[in-house]
C-alpha cells in the first residue's frame, strides 16, 4: 500500500463516521436511562426515592408504593409492594451496609425494614409527635455504629435517633438552627467523618450536624444560581466526600464541597436526556455513576461525570 | 434477508419521488464518457455506485420509512357496572386479574368501565391488572348501559403499533348506544372483540310495568290510580300506596294481593285536596322474599297536578327573622308553607306543588347546580313565581352572582353603573393534585369562584407550577372584569405538588396587601401534605386582616387536616374536611361570597316610589306612606323593557332597586333587595300596608291555574315519552289549529323544547326522549289565533309530565347473549367462558400490526454518504489494495454502528470483521498476482540492489541538478526551448496510477510514490511525437497536457493487457 494515501483513506473513514448520528446515550454525561411511565416491571409511576447498594444494585420507590430493584445498568431484577398505600406512599429509601433496606413509610408514620428480596424484617414508629413516634418520616441515615436517624416533617420537623435494635434513643435536632426551625428535613447522609448532612428542604439549605445534634455548619439560600438551592429533596455524600444535592425546585443536581462551595450543577428543567423534571432523589452507585430519579419524567438517568 | 423480505420492511410516504430513479439511465449514459479514463471494472463499479446513490437519494426524497411488524398485543377489558349487573364488579375484577396472571411481557392491559358513560380506569400498560381490589371509583349514572360508548373509548385508547383486542364483560343489555355499528367499526380497524357474557336469568321476579294517574285533576276529586304488576310466577304479597310520601291506609282486601303469572292490574281511587303536584307511589312486598329477585323494580310512582287555589313556599334561613313576613301573608289568607332553606331538596316535584316560592335571605351555596336549574325551569318553563329577598345572604352577597338564577331575576346582581364601592379581593391557593382527577376539580372550583364574585372584585389563583417548578400566580391577581379570559387561563393551569405553604401564602399576602380591597380573603385547598406556614406568615395575614379558609381534601387518613385547621383558626377563616370532591363547588361558592360583603348597604334610607302604577302595587301608596328601610343589597336593574321597578333607593350615584319585577318565560319573578326584617325592616313589619303589599306580590307572582278544558294523557313507549292533548271547547267541539308549545324539563334539570303536531280533530301530540330516571315535567302553553286581535292569544297552561320510576336496567330478566355473540361474530372474536384457565385473551393469533417509522435520516447517514464515498474511492483510489481497505472500513463502520451490531454479542462483532475481510480480500484478489510477481521481482533484484541504489542515487542527483538549473533560469521555461518540456512533477501525488505502476519493484521510489514522471526519457517513452503547434498549445495548458498523457498511458496499458 502506498503510504501517502493513508491520510486520504483515514479521511474517508472519519467522514463516514462523522456523518453519522452521535451515539444516543452521551447527552451531557448521561450513560443510561431506565424506567418509563407504567406499572409494569421496570416502569415507574412518579418515582420519588432511590438508594444504591454496595453490590451495585439500586432500589427505587414510586407512587404506586412499589420498591423495585435494578442492576447497575438499570435492568429490572425484582420488586415488591408496600403493605399499605391508600393513605400515601413512601418517600425515603436507604440501604444499610449489611444490605437491609430501610423504607420511610411516610403516610403510615413508620419505618419498614426489608431484606434484599423484599421480605419484611422489622418495622418501627407510630403516629404522633412524642418519643418513638413520627408525623411524616422522610428519610433514614445510618452511622457507622449502627444508629439509625430518621427525619420527619409536617408540624414535627425533626431528626430522631434510634438504636440498632430499633428502639428510640432521642431527638437530636435542635429546635432552631441559625435562627430557623427545620422545615422538611427531606434527606440525610453521613460522611466519612461521621457527621450528618441534612437537606433542610423548605429552608433551601444544607445543615451539617454532629451525631449528638450539634450544628457544625449551615449553607445555602433560596435561589437558582450555582451555590443557591430550591427545595433540596435529597443529599448524598459521594465517595470523594463531596455532597450531591438533588434540587426539586430547580430540577437539577448540584455538587458541593464540605465548605458549601458549589462544584457544579447538572440538569435543568425539561424532558430531554440530560434534563430533569421535578426530581426527588439521587444517589451514587457502586461504580461511581450518579443515579437520579427524574420523577415527573418517570425515569432514572445514569450520569457519569 | 432476501429482497422480498427487505421490501416488506421499508415503505415510502411520498413514493412519487421514486420517479427520480429514472435519472439512472441518463447518468449512466453521461458517465460512460466521463469515466472513459477508468479501466472497465472500475467504470462499471463506479456506475453501479453512482446509480445506487441516485436511487438512495430518490428514496430519501420519497421519505423512506421503516415498516416494523409487531405481534405484541393490547387487550382492553370493558367492565359493565350498570344496575343490571349490580354486585358483580368484584367478580369481573377478579376475572381480569386472574386472566392477566401469565401476561406476556410486552403485552399491555387497559381497563374501561361503563354504564351510561364510559371511563378509563387503567391506561394500557404492561404487567397486567394494576388496580387495587374494590378501589374502582363510584360509577355515576348506572341507570343505563351504553356498551357502544365503551367500545368507542377503547378504540381511541389503543396504541397504534400493537394487536388490538377488546374483551367485553357484560350482560349485553345495552339500552342506549348502537353496539352493532360500533362493532362493525371495530372490525374495520382490525380490532377483535371477545365477549364474556355475565350470565343470569331471573325466574322469580315481580316488577311494576306501569303506574298511571290522570295528569290533571280537580281539587277534591277522587283520582284513579292505575297500576300494572308483572309477575313471572304465581305469588302473593302486600301492596302499599303512598300519597306525597305519606302512606295511604288501604283495607286488607285491597292491600293483600295474589299475583298470577303475567300482568296484574289494580285500580285505587284516592281523594286529593289542595293545588299543586300530587305524587303517588306504590310498593309491592312479596310474602316470600325468594319469590322476587330484584327489589328495585318493586316501586312505581306517578303524579297528578291539581288545579285550584295556589300555595306559596317560603324557604327561610332564619325563621325568627322571617316570622313577621309569614304572619303577614297568612293574615292575607295566603296559603303558605315554610321550610328551612338549608337542606331543602328543591326538586321540580316539590316546586311544582307551589305557585310561588320565596327565597328569604337564602345563600346560593345551599343548593347544587341541578337545584339552581330547577328554580330556573320552575319559573321560565313551568310558569312558577319566584321572590328573592335581601339580607346578608341575598343576591350578590349570597353568592348568586353567576348562578343561572340571576338570569331569571329582574335585576343583575353585579353593580353595573359607575360608583365607588369597596372592592373584594379573593386569592385561591390550589393544591388539589393529590386527589383523583385533582386538576379537573381544582379548575372547576376555581372557575366557580370566578363566577361567584363580582366583576368589581379582584381574583387571583396561586399554585405550584410543575414546569419549571415553583410557586406562581397561575392567574395574576386582577379585577374580574373579563371572566371568560380568566376562566380560559384557569383551564391552562397545571397544579403541581407543593412542598410547603409558605411561598404561595407569602405571594397571596403580598398580592392582597397591594390591593385597595375592603374585604380580602384566601381559599386554600390541599391534602395538608405541604409543610405548614411559619408563624410570621400567619401573623402577616392576621395583621392585614386577611382571612384564610382551608379545605382538606383527599382520602381518609391521607389528609393532614390539622395544619389546615390551624391556618383557618389562626386567621379567622373556616376549615372544611371534605372527602367528596362533589361538595367542593358549594364550599367555593360559600367562601367566595365572603368578599361580596361590600354589596351590603347597612344604613337606613327612605324608599322612593318611582312607578306607582306597576302591576305589583297599582296605585296603592304614595312615597310618604312608605316607612324607611334599614339597608339593602346592591343590585342593578336589567336593561329590559319588561322590568318594572316601583321602589328604589335614591343616591347621588343613581337609583338602586328596592323592588323590581318582571315576567320571564312562562313565569314571574320579584326582587326585594331589602328584607332582613329584624335588622332592616322593623318599621316595615309594623306598617299596616306591609301584609297587603306582600300578599299582592305573592298573588302577582303566583303561577296561573292550569286550563281545565283539556284532557291530557302521557305514555312511555320504549325510550320515548309522549304527551297527548285533547282540546274541546265549552260546547264540546274540537279545537283545531291551536299552537301548543312546551319545554320538557328532564330529571337532571335540562329543558328541551318539544313540538306538538295535530294528529286528529282536536288532538295534539308531542314526543320526547326519556333516558333518565325521575320526573319529566312540562307546562304546555296553549294559544289560539284570534281574528279580532290579529295575534295568538293564550288559552291557558296544561301541566303534564311522566315519571320513570326505575331504570330499565331493572327490567332485564336475562342476559342478552345473542347480542354479545353477534358482536363477537362481526369482529372475528370469541365468546369466552369467564374461566381464567380456559380463556386465553393474550393468544397472539391476530395478524401482526405494522408501525411506520421515518428512516430517511438513517438512510442519508448510513447509505447515501457511504455510497458516495465509495463512488469517489472507486474512481480516485488507484490501488485496489487501498480501495479494498477503504471498503472494509466502510463495511465495518456501517455494520457495527449503522446496523448497531456493536451492541450485539462478541460473535456478532467477530462475524462483522470476518465478513468485511472476505469482501476486502475478494476485491484485492486482483492485486495478488502482481503482488507475488513484485515479491519475486524484489528478491531477484536484491542481488543488484547496490548497483541500482547507486544508479538511483545518481539519477536523483541528476534530477535535482536539472531542477535547480531550471529554477535559476526561469526564462528557459517561458521562452520555449527546442527540447520538449517534461510535465511538472505532480506534488499532489494523485491516485490515478495504474496497478502496474503500483506494483513496480521498490527500486524506483520516485515513480512509485509520485505516479508522475520526472525524467525526460521516461516521458519521451510514453509520449507520441507531437506537432510544434500542439506543443505550443500544451505549453499554454499544462493541465490538459497532463490529462492527455494520462489517457494515452491508460490506452497503452490496456493494449498491453490485451
Amino acid at each position: 500500500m502506498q503510504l501517502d494515501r493513508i491520510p486520504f483513506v483515514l479521511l474517508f473513514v472519519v467522514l463516514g463516521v462523522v456523518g453519522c448520528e452521535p451515539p444516543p446515550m452521551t447527552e451531557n454525561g448521561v450513560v443510561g436511562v431506565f424506567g418509563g411511565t407504567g406499572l409494569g416491571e421496570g416502569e415507574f409511576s412518579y418515582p420519588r426515592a432511590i438508594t444504591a447498594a454496595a453490590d451495585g444494585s439500586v432500589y427505587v420507590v414510586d407512587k404506586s408504593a412499589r420498591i423495585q430493584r435494578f442492576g447497575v445498568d438499570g435492568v429490572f431484577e425484582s420488586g415488591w409492594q408496600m403493605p399499605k398505600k391508600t393513605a400515601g406512599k413512601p418517600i425515603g429509601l436507604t440501604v444499610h451496609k449489611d444490605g437491609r433496606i430501610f423504607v420511610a413509610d411516610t403516610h403510615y408514620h413508620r419505618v419498614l425494614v426489608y431484606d434484599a428480596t423484599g421480605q419484611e424484617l422489622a418495622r418501627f414508629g407510630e403516629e404522633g409527635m412524642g418519643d418513638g413516634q413520627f408525623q411524616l418520616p422522610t428519610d433514614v441515615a445510618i452511622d457507622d455504629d449502627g444508629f439509625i436517624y430518621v427525619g420527619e416533617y409536617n408540624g414535627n420537623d425533626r431528626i430522631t435517633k434510634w438504636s440498632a435494635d430499633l428502639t428510640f434513643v432521642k431527638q437530636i435536632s435542635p429546635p432552631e438552627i441559625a435562627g430557623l426551625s427545620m422545615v422538611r428535613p427531606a434527606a440525610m447522609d453521613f460522611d466519612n467523618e461521621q457527621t450528618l448532612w441534612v437537606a433542610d428542604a423548605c429552608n433551601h439549605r444544607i445543615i451539617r450536624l454532629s451525631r449528638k445534634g450539634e450544628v457544625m455548619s449551615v449553607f445555602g439560600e433560596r435561589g437558582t444560581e450555582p451555590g443557591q438551592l430550591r427545595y433540596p429533596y435529597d443529599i448524598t455524600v459521594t465517595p470523594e466526600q463531596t455532597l450531591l444535592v438533588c434540587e426539586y425546585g430547580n430540577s437539577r443536581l448540584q455538587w458541593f464541597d464540605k465548605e458549601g462551595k458549589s462544584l457544579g450543577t447538572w440538569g435543568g428543567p425539561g424532558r430531554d436526556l440530560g434534563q430533569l423534571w421535578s426530581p426527588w432523589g439521587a444517589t451514587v452507585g457502586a461504580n461511581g455513576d450518579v443515579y437520579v430519579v427524574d420523577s415527573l419524567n418517570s425515569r432514572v438517568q445514569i450520569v457519569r461525570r | 434477508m432476501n429482497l422480498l423480505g427487505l421490501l416488506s420492511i421499508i415503505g415510502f410516504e411520498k413514493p412519487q419521488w421514486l420517479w427520480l430513479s429514472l435519472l439512472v439511465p441518463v447518468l449512466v449514459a453521461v458517465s460512460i464518457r466521463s469515466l472513459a479514463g477508468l479501466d472497465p471494472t472500475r467504470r462499471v463499479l463506479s456506475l453501479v455506485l453512482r446509480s445506487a446513490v441516485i436511487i438512495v437519494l430518490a428514496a430519501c426524497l420519497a421519505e423512506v420509512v421503516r415498516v416494523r411488524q409487531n405481534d405484541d398485543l393490547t387487550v382492553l377489558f370493558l367492565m359493565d357496572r350498570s344496575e343490571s349487573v349490580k354486585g358483580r364488579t368484584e367478580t369481573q375484577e377478579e376475572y381480569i386479574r386472574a386472566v392477566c396472571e401469565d401476561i406476556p411481557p410486552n403485552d399491555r392491559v387497559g381497563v374501561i368501565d361503563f354504564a351510561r358513560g364510559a371511563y378509563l380506569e387503567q391506561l394500557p400498560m404492561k404487567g397486567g391488572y394494576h388496580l387495587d381490589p374494590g378501589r374502582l371509583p363510584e360509577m355515576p349514572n348506572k341507570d343505563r348501559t351504553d356498551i357502544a360508548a365503551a367500545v368507542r373509548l377503547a378504540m381511541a385508547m389503543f396504541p397504534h403499533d400493537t394487536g388490538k383486542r377488546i374483551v367485553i364483560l357484560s350482560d349485553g343489555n345495552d339500552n342506549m348506544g348502537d353496539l352493532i355499528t360500533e362493532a362493525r367499526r371495530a372490525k374495520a380497524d382490525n380490532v377483535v372483540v371477545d365477549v364474556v357474557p355475565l350470565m343470569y336469568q331471573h325466574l322469580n321476579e315481580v316488577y311494576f310495568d306501569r303506574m298511571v294517574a290522570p295528569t290533571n285533576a280537580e281539587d277534591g276529586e277522587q283520582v284513579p290510580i292505575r297500576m300494572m304488576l308483572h309477575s313471572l310466577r304465581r305469588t302473593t304479597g302486600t301492596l302499599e300506596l303512598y300519597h306525597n310520601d305519606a302512606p295511604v291506609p288501604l283495607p286488607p282486601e285491597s292491600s293483600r294481593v295474589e299475583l298470577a303469572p303475567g300482568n296484574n292490574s289494580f285500580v285505587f281511587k284516592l281523594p286529593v285536596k289542595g293545588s299543586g303536584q300530587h305524587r303517588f307511589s306504590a310498593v309491592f312486598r312479596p310474602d316470600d322474599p325468594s319469590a322476587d329477585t330484584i327489589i328495585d323494580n318493586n316501586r312505581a310512582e306517578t303524579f297528578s297536578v291539581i288545579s285550584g287555589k295556589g300555595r306559596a313556599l317560603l324557604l327561610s334561613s332564619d325563621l325568627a327573622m322571617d316570622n313577621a313576613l309569614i304572619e303577614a301573608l297568612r293574615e292575607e289568607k295566603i296559603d303558605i308553607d315554610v321550610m328551612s332553606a338549608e337542606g331543602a331538596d328543591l326538586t321540580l316535584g316539590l316546586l311544582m306543588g307551589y305557585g310561588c316560592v320565596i327565597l328569604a335571605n337564602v345563600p346560593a351555596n345551599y343548593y347544587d347546580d341541578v337545584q339552581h336549574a330547577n328554580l330556573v325551569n320552575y319559573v321560565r318553563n313551568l310558569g312558577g313565581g319566584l321572590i328573592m329577598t335581601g339580607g346578608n345572604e341575598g343576591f350578590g352577597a349570597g353568592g348568586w352572582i353567576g348562578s343561572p338564577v340571576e338570569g331569571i331575576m329582574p335585576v343583575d346582581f353585579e353593580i353595573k353603573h359607575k360608583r365607588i364601592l369597596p372592592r373584594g379581593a379573593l386569592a385561591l391557593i390550589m393544591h388539589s393534585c393529590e386527589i383523583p382527577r385533582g386538576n379537573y376539580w381544582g379548575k372547576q372550583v376555581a372557575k366557580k369562584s370566578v363566577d361567584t364574585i363580582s366583576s368589581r372584585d379582584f381574583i387571583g389563583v396561586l399554585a405550584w407550577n410543575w414546569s419549571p417548578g415553583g410557586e406562581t400566580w397561575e392567574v395574576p391577581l386582577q379585577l374580574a372584569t373579563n371572566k371568560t379570559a380568566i376562566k380560559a387561563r384557569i383551564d391552562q393551569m397545571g397544579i403541581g405538588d407543593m412542598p410547603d405553604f409558605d411561598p404561595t401564602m407569602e405571594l397571596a399576602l403580598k398580592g392582597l396587601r397591594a390591593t385597595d380591597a375592603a374585604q380580602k380573603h384566601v381559599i386554600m385547598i390541599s391534602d395538608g401534605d405541604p409543610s405548614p406556614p411559619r408563624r410570621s406568615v400567619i401573623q402577616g395575614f392576621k395583621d392585614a386582616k386577611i382571612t384564610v379558609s382551608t379545605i382538606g381534601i383527599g382520602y381518609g387518613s391521607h389528609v393532614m387536616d390539622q395544619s389546615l385547621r390551624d391556618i383557618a383558626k389562626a386567621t379567622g377563616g373556616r376549615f372544611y374536611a371534605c372527602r367528596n370532591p362533589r361538595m367542593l363547588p358549594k364550599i367555593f361558592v360559600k367562601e367566595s361570597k365572603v368578599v361580596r360583603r361590600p354589596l351590603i348597604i347597612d344604613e337606613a334610607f327612605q324608599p322612593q316610589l318611582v312607578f306607582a302604577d306597576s302591576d305589583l302595587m297599582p296605585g296603592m301608596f304614595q312615597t310618604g306612606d312608605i316607612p324607611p328601610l334599614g339597608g339593602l343589597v346592591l343590585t342593578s336593574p336589567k336593561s329590559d323593557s319588561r322590568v318594572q321597578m316601583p321602589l328604589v333607593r335614591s343616591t347621588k350615584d343613581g337609583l338602586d332597586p328596592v323592588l323590581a319585577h318582571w315576567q320571564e318565560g312562562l313565569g314571574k319573578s320579584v326582587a326585594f333587595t331589602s328584607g332582613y326584617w329584624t335588622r332592616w325592616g322593623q318599621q316595615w313589619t309594623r306598617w299596616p300596608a306591609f301584609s297587603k303589599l306582600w300578599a299582592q306580590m305573592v298573588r302577582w307572582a303566583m303561577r296561573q291555574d292550569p286550563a281545565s278544558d283539556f284532557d291530557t294523557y302521557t305514555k312511555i313507549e320504549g325510550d320515548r315519552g309522549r304527551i297527548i292533548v285533547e282540546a274541546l271547547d265549552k260546547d264540546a267541539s274540537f279545537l283545531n289549529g291551536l299552537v301548543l308549545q312546551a319545554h320538557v324539563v328532564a330529571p337532571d334539570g335540562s329543558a328541551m323544547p318539544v313540538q306538538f303536531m295535530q294528529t286528529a280533530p282536536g288532538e295534539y301530540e308531542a314526543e320526547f326522549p326519556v333516558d333518565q330516571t325521575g320526573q319529566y315535567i312540562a307546562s304546555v302553553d296553549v294559544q289560539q289565533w284570534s281574528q279580532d286581535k290579529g295575534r295568538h292569544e293564550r288559552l291557558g297552561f296544561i301541566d303534564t309530565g311522566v315519571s320513570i320510576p326505575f331504570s330499565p336496567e331493572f327490567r332485564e330478566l336475562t342476559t342478552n347473549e345473542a347480542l354479545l355473540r353477534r358482536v363477537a361474530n362481526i369482529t372475528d372474536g370469541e365468546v369466552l367462558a369467564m374461566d381464567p384457565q380456559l380463556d386465553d385473551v393474550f393468544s397472539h393469533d391476530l395478524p401482526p400490526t405494522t408501525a411506520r417509522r421515518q428512516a430517511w435520516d438513517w438512510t442519508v447517514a448510513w447509505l447515501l454518504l457511504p455510497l458516495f464515498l465509495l463512488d469517489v474511492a472507486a474512481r480516485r483510489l488507484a490501488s485496489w489494495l487501498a480501495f479494498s481497505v477503504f471498503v472494509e472500513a466502510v463495511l465495518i463502520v456501517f455494520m457495527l454502528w449503522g446496523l448497531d451490531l456493536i451492541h450485539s454479542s462478541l460473535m456478532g462483532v467477530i462475524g462483522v470483521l470476518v465478513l468485511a475481510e472476505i469482501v476486502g480480500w475478494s476485491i484485492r484478489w486482483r492485486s495478488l498476482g502482481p503482488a507475488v510477481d513484485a515479491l519475486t521481482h524484489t528478491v531477484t533484484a536484491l542481488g543488484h540492489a547496490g548497483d541500482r541504489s547507486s544508479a538511483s542515487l545518481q539519477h536523483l542527483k541528476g534530477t535535482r541538478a536539472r531542477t535547480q538549473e531550471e529554477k535559476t533560469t526561469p526564462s528557459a521555461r517561458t521562452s520555449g526551448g527546442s527540447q520538449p518540456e517534461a510535465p511538472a512533477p505532480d506534488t499532489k501525488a494523485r491516485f490515478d496510477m495504474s496497478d502496474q505502476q503500483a506494483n513496480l519493484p521498490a527500486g524506483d521510489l520516485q515513480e512509485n510514490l509520485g505516479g508522475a514522471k520526472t525524467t525526460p526519457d521516461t516521458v519521451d517513452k510514453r509520449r507520441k511525437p507531437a506537432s510544434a503547434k500542439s506543443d505550443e498549445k500544451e505549453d499554454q495548458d499544462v493541465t490538459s497536457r497532463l490529462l492527455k498523457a494520462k489517457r494515452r498511458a491508460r490506452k497503452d496499458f490496456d493494449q498491453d493487457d490485451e
Side-chain angles (χ1 to χ4, degrees), chain B residues 182-373:
Chain B
E182 218 53 57
R184 291 196 178 111
R185 285 192 187 129
K187 169 70 177 169
D189 280 359
N190 296 320
V191 178
V192 172
V193 181
D194 290 351
V195 294
V196 181
L198 302 176
M199 302 300 292
Y200 60 81
Q201 185 170 15
H202 302 316
L203 299 175
N204 300 319
E205 184 55 44
V206 179
Y207 63 88
F208 273 99
D209 189 65
R210 72 186 66 166
M211 181 172 177
V212 183
T215 315
N216 302 104
E218 294 293 327
D219 194 6
E221 183 185 346
Q222 292 270 336
V223 175
I225 313 293
R226 293 183 174 83
M227 62 192 77
M228 191 176 287
L229 266 168
H230 187 93
S231 177
L232 295 183
R233 299 201 169 182
R234 185 172 298 281
T235 187
T236 57
T238 308
L239 204 54
E240 297 169 2
L241 200 57
Y242 296 85
H243 178 199
N244 287 340
D245 298 329
V248 177
L250 294 174
E253 63 273 18
S254 298
S255 63
R256 291 291 307 156
V257 294
E258 182 175 345
L259 303 180
N263 286 333
N264 299 266
S265 294
F266 302 93
V267 181
F268 298 93
K269 284 199 168 182
L270 294 181
V272 288
K273 285 186 178 176
S275 61
Q277 190 193 54
H278 289 255
R279 281 171 289 116
F280 309 102
S281 56
V283 176
F284 173 75
R285 300 189 196 281
D287 292 337
D288 177 10
S290 66
D292 191 15
T293 313
I294 306 170
I295 57 168
D296 300 83
N297 56 17
N298 288 15
R299 181 186 174 89
E301 67 176 37
T302 185
F303 65 90
S304 289
V305 179
I306 311 298
S307 59
K309 187 182 166 191
R311 279 194 301 162
L313 171 67
L314 188 142
L315 293 162
S316 170
S317 298
D318 183 351
L319 276 176
M321 185 84 72
D322 298 319
N323 203 33
L325 176 61
I326 296 163
E327 284 182 4
L329 289 172
R330 286 185 175 150
E331 218 173 81
E332 291 292 325
K333 309 294 184 204
I334 299 286
D335 185 5
I336 186 164
D337 287 349
V338 179
M339 199 179 282
S340 170
E342 188 167 18
D345 187 9
L346 298 188
T347 62
L348 272 185
L350 174 81
L351 297 173
M352 285 293 284
Y354 299 95
C356 177
V357 174
I358 304 168
L359 291 171
N361 195 24
V362 175
N365 58 282
Y366 279 2
Y367 308 115
D368 61 23
D369 290 348
V370 173
Q371 290 167 321
H372 283 214

Side-chain angles (χ1 to χ4, degrees), chain A residues 2 5 8 12 20 39-40 63 85-87 107 153-154 184 202-203 222 230-231 233 248-249 277 296, chain B residues 126 130 132 135 434 464 466 469 471 497 499-500 503 528-529 534 558 857 862 869 878 886 990-991 993:
Chain A
Q2 294 163 344
R5 298 184 182 186
F8 291 88
F12 281 124
C20 313
L39 294 171
K63 249 191 157 179
K85 62 177 182 179
T86 313
H107 291 272
Y153 82 107
N154 201 280
R184 196 166 180 149
C202 294
N203 286 322
R222 184 188 167 101
R230 277 213 316 153
Y231 299 103
Y233 266 18
Y248 173 78
W277 195 5
L296 268 178
Chain B
K126 295 174 185 172
H130 295 290
D132 296 335
R135 285 294 302 276
E434 297 282 356
W464 172 273
W466 281 122
E471 63 286 344
D497 195 3
D500 52 355
D529 181 68
R534 295 167 210 281
H558 175 80
D857 49 350
W862 294 107
L869 292 175
F886 183 82
R990 305 295 299 271
F991 304 135
M993 66 189 293

Side-chain angles (χ1 to χ4, degrees), chain B residues 2-3 12 28 67 85 164 386 398 417 429 496 593 621 651 677 732 743 752 794 801 846 913 918 923 941 1056:
Chain B
N2 59 30
L3 185 61
F12 302 95
V28 169
V67 182
V85 288
K164 303 175 181 69
L386 180 67
H417 51 278
I429 298 179
K593 75 187 186 203
F621 318 107
T651 69
W677 306 111
H743 281 77
M752 54 191 144
R794 179 168 291 146
L846 308 183
L913 297 177
I918 290 172
I923 293 171
D1056 290 344

